Amino acid sequence: MSDNKSVDSKRFPLLPLRDVIIFPHMVVPLFVGREKSIAALEEAAKNNNELFLVTQKDANVLNPERGDVYDVGTVVNIIQMLRLPDNTVKVLIEGKYRANINEFVAKPEGYWAEVTKSQSEIVDVVNLEATMRSIKSTFEQYVKLNKRIPPELLMSISSITDPSRLADIIVAHLSMKIPEKQEILEAVNVEDRLHLLLEKMQGEIEVINVERRIKTRVKQQMEKSQKEYYLNEQMNAIQKELGQKDDGKSDINEMEEKLAKKKMPEEAREKTLKEIKKLKSMSPMSAEAAVVRNYIDWMTNLPWDEYTTDDNDIKKAWEILDSHHYGMKDVKERIVEYLSVRSLVKDEGKGTILCLAGPPGVGKTSIAKSLAESLDRNFVRISLGGVRDESEIRGHRRTYVGAMPGKIISALKKAGTSNPVILLDEIDKMSSDMRGDPAAAMLEVLDPEQNKNFADHYIECEYDLSQVMFVMTANDLGRIPGPLRDRMEIINVSGYTPQEKLQIGKRYLLKKAIKNNGLDKYDVAMSDNSVLEVVRGYTKEAGVREFQRLLNTVCRKIATEVVAKDHKEGKKFSVTPKQLTKYLGPKRFDRTAVEVEPQVGLVNGLAWTSVGGELLHIEVVTVPGKGQVKITGKLGEVMQESASAALSYVRSISAQLGIDASWYDKNDIHVHVPEGATPKDGPSAGITMVTALTSAITGIPVKQNVAMTGEVTIRGRVLPIGGLKEKLLAAKQSGIETVIIPIKNEKDLPEIPSEVKSGLTIIPCYQVDNVLKNALELQNPEQFMQHVAPQLKVIDSDAGGLEVAN
């Protein structure tokens, strides 16, 4: 079977088409307006009504030439032609067969073409039949998806058996571009034409499916947004009925109103306004909106320009400080001096930065609270113990999840004013790691020249900290970096004497313990001797924390007895020294912690620690050996060097001591400091080392009622030390009678309370030989002095060997 029988070339009037392709078997109306095209129609009407139609490659060309039209077109038959009033012609044509252009003639009166009818042979009938079935099935899917094609067309398609006719009718109803349709028109071979048509149809079906999915998704999104809008409107209506406000809009309105009333720098106001504008354009449910809302909340709640008026009444300050604290004369005087200056200087100037340094439990934190109360300022405490991240001070940038301002800005918000008293507690406990050095960040906070323009990473605006009064507490000043310590005014808060602890216990701690343990309605009393017995026999501290815990223990025992025996209100409980064993158990500390008889190589030293003074025993023994020196007791580097310096000095005076130089090659020396698990360091055990070494080498015993402290040089000079009050307290509590100190520390004695010095013989020394004279159990001290250091007689008579008895 063949598509069409071969014919010779034939001449036809030519009508170029724009944006349309005519296929064989296709009946369509055309509107013709160009003069040459109308002339071609009239010529065709004269000659059997046959006409050749071919499509232009570019529809905008008015007078196409040979290269402007495709090579293949369709010979059609004119069924009807009608001239319209606007000089255009409506013509109804029917496609007959496809043909190739052999010759194209363009004349002023119209177009002519000599064409040859296309023809094709069918080779594989079975394959063709299968392809036709696929096309019909695919076209059925296409009709179901494309609603513009009438379903009746499927009935007529199903009855077509001619493959060429089937292809031409289907392609006429597909939504395809002109070049794609032309490609099918030019496919002369029927099998090729059917395969090409099937491919195009499947592509169109895929496109239609994608379009439908997109439309469905868009429709669902629109329906969701419309649903949310509808529900939000319903919610707003319900809230209005209930008398509630629209949260989203009302919150923003409240923010704007709050910002309008807030006193703040212009930079901060502009930044907050900008964030409010950003919030208006956001969805209330978005995560970014929550971040912006939180930032605006911080900015509008900070006390930018809010200050309290200071109360500079000195009498009131004294009353408050005395009512809360006993003793602490230096600290109270410094606070009163500060208030006095503020009452005279109207311009407040820069904020003051105080650092209270001393052992734990002496009241450093509570004195800061009393300072704030006496000034009538708000008080905020910031704990810096363990802080190792710089962002804790400067804040986190808002790009981080969960970002917040630093501790300083947070404290100001909590205080509610820009001039509070901020306590930076335990500033010596800060540390640094890979996240930065918080101590370096504190430099800007505490520098009066810089903190007027403190920049927190979170608020991104400068904040004035110059009116803030910073008070710091520290146990060990040595752990605070030098540049940071330089910005502070340091006030040393020393430990309490037993008499001071007695007064603190009677006035404050016992009353507090009675109240906290529910004994307000009972008569609980402790004699002075009982309180002192608790201090001396059960505590060993510079502060009063352990003392307070023990008083609470006593009160708890009494409370238990009250409940167990159902005592009536008003019953009297008197705690005597003998009853303390019942409440607190046996004594923990023996007041006489030293040997009674003189000992060889055993010396009582005095040390300062962060918790107060300590009695430090140093032991030296010599054994036959090869001249080795061993130092044990977990000593620090400085203390080991002090031991080496002491040994060098003792060796330098070996001849005067009557020790042969070869003795050191035949004997080993072992220096040990007991309580080996406790780290020890510092240079103030120098003269203690010299005395112990001298005693061990010469065999002369050391008086055990003597304690000493002082650094030593290899020439035997005694250098000054620190923490004298704490060391004298430790000596007194341990039953020491005589204390040897450096002569340069003699100037510190007037500042030490007389109750600490009472009962102690304090001997200032300039040279080590004076130390040895007073510490060793000598038969003839004067002869020893002349023998050991005859060249220093003049110096010693002027500067050493003084006895100060108090």
Side-chain angles (χ1 to χ4, degrees), residues 161-358:
T161 57
D162 183 6
S164 178
R165 181 182 175 86
L166 176 68
D168 291 339
I169 289 176
I170 288 177
V171 75
H173 291 86
L174 294 180
S175 300
M176 295 167 59
K177 296 178 182 178
I178 294 297
E180 293 177 337
K181 286 190 175 184
Q182 182 67 31
E183 185 181 1
I184 294 175
L185 182 67
E186 293 177 358
V188 178
N189 188 287
V190 178
E191 291 185 48
D192 294 343
R193 196 185 315 159
L194 290 173
H195 284 296
L196 191 59
L197 177 60
L198 183 61
E199 180 185 333
K200 299 291 184 185
M201 264 200 299
Q202 288 172 340
E204 279 296 308
I205 289 172
E206 185 62 32
V207 170
I208 291 172
N209 284 329
V210 172
E211 286 180 352
R212 292 186 68 177
R213 285 198 296 269
I214 292 172
K215 286 179 181 179
T216 303
R217 188 161 59 245
V218 170
K219 184 181 178 183
Q220 288 174 348
Q221 290 175 350
M222 288 179 65
E223 287 176 351
K224 183 181 178 183
S225 62
Q226 287 172 350
K227 180 181 177 182
E228 288 178 356
Y229 174 77
Y230 175 70
L231 291 174
N232 284 329
E233 288 299 314
Q234 276 193 325
M235 190 180 295
N236 293 338
I238 292 169
Q239 286 174 342
K240 286 178 182 177
E241 288 295 324
L242 294 173
Q244 298 176 354
K245 295 181 179 179
D246 177 11
D247 283 343
K249 293 181 180 177
S250 64
D251 279 359
I252 295 175
N253 293 336
E254 284 178 11
M255 289 175 186
E256 290 176 329
E257 290 172 7
K258 195 172 184 180
L259 181 62
K261 296 176 183 177
K262 189 78 176 177
K263 289 183 179 180
M264 61 197 306
E266 199 57 36
E267 179 193 5
R269 186 179 298 279
E270 288 177 2
K271 195 160 190 64
T272 310
L273 273 173
K274 185 178 178 182
E275 294 297 321
I276 290 176
K277 288 179 181 176
K278 188 191 295 184
L279 183 62
K280 286 180 179 178
S281 62
M282 289 181 180
S283 167
M285 305 303 292
S286 67
E288 181 68 17
V291 174
V292 174
R293 193 183 296 272
N294 191 43
Y295 176 79
I296 296 169
D297 185 59
W298 270 100
M299 295 294 280
T300 53
N301 281 295
L302 282 174
W304 292 94
D305 198 22
E306 299 172 27
Y307 300 92
T308 54
T309 304
D310 287 354
D311 184 354
N312 296 319
D313 187 345
I314 295 176
K315 292 182 180 178
K316 177 187 172 186
W318 271 116
E319 290 173 1
I320 291 173
L321 292 170
D322 283 339
S323 66
H324 293 174
H325 300 85
Y326 180 81
M328 305 182 81
K329 183 181 176 183
D330 293 342
V331 182
K332 293 176 181 177
E333 283 183 354
R334 176 62 189 89
I335 291 171
V336 171
E337 288 169 6
Y338 169 74
L339 297 176
S340 302
V341 171
R342 291 183 69 84
S343 64
L344 294 174
V345 180
K346 302 302 178 184
D347 182 10
E348 293 187 356
K350 293 164 184 160
T352 306
I353 296 161
L354 302 176
C355 180
L356 304 175

Side-chain angles (χ1 to χ4, degrees), residues 138-165:
T138 306
F139 185 67
E140 185 177 353
Q141 293 180 30
Y142 181 78
V143 171
K144 289 179 180 178
L145 294 172
N146 193 340
K147 301 300 182 183
R148 289 174 294 183
I149 300 176
E152 296 81 14
L153 183 62
L154 287 174
M155 298 298 294
S156 60
I157 291 294
S158 62
S159 61
I160 297 175
T161 57
D162 183 6
S164 178
R165 181 182 175 86

Side-chain angles (χ1 to χ4, degrees), residues 39-94:
L41 287 173
E42 292 175 347
E43 188 64 31
K46 298 175 183 177
N47 299 300
N48 301 326
N49 287 329
E50 288 185 332
L51 182 67
F52 181 69
L53 303 182
V54 66
T55 304
Q56 293 180 200
K57 295 177 181 178
D58 185 357
N60 295 321
V61 179
L62 293 176
N63 297 304
E65 297 295 333
R66 175 67 185 88
D68 297 323
V69 296
Y70 289 107
D71 295 334
V72 178
T74 306
V75 175
V76 301
N77 185 39
I78 299 175
I79 299 173
Q80 185 181 9
M81 188 166 63
L82 177 65
R83 187 176 291 274
L84 300 176
D86 59 353
N87 292 327
T88 60
V89 176
K90 180 181 179 182
V91 60
L92 184 65
I93 56 96
E94 178 186 9

Side-chain angles (χ1 to χ4, degrees), residues 499-512 526-529 531 547 551:
Q499 289 301 319
E500 286 176 331
K501 289 183 180 180
L502 170 64
Q503 296 301 322
I504 292 169
K506 287 170 60 179
R507 297 186 186 189
Y508 310 105
L509 302 184
L510 184 58
K511 294 177 181 177
K512 187 177 179 182
M526 287 183 73
S527 64
D528 289 3
N529 289 336
V531 176
F547 180 34
L551 292 179

Side-chain angles (χ1 to χ4, degrees), residues 729-780:
L729 267 173
K732 190 169 184 179
Q733 290 175 358
S734 301
I736 297 295
E737 298 173 1
T738 302
V739 179
I740 299 172
I741 66 170
I743 197 167
K744 290 187 178 179
N745 283 109
E746 192 176 11
K747 65 181 184 299
D748 300 326
L749 291 174
E751 297 179 4
I752 296 173
S754 57
E755 62 180 285
V756 176
K757 296 181 288 186
S758 64
L760 290 177
T761 300
I762 302 174
I763 305 175
C765 291
Y766 178 77
Q767 187 74 17
V768 171
D769 55 331
N770 293 103
V771 176
L772 299 177
K773 173 188 172 183
N774 289 283
L776 298 178
E777 189 73 23
L778 301 171
Q779 297 295 329
N780 190 341

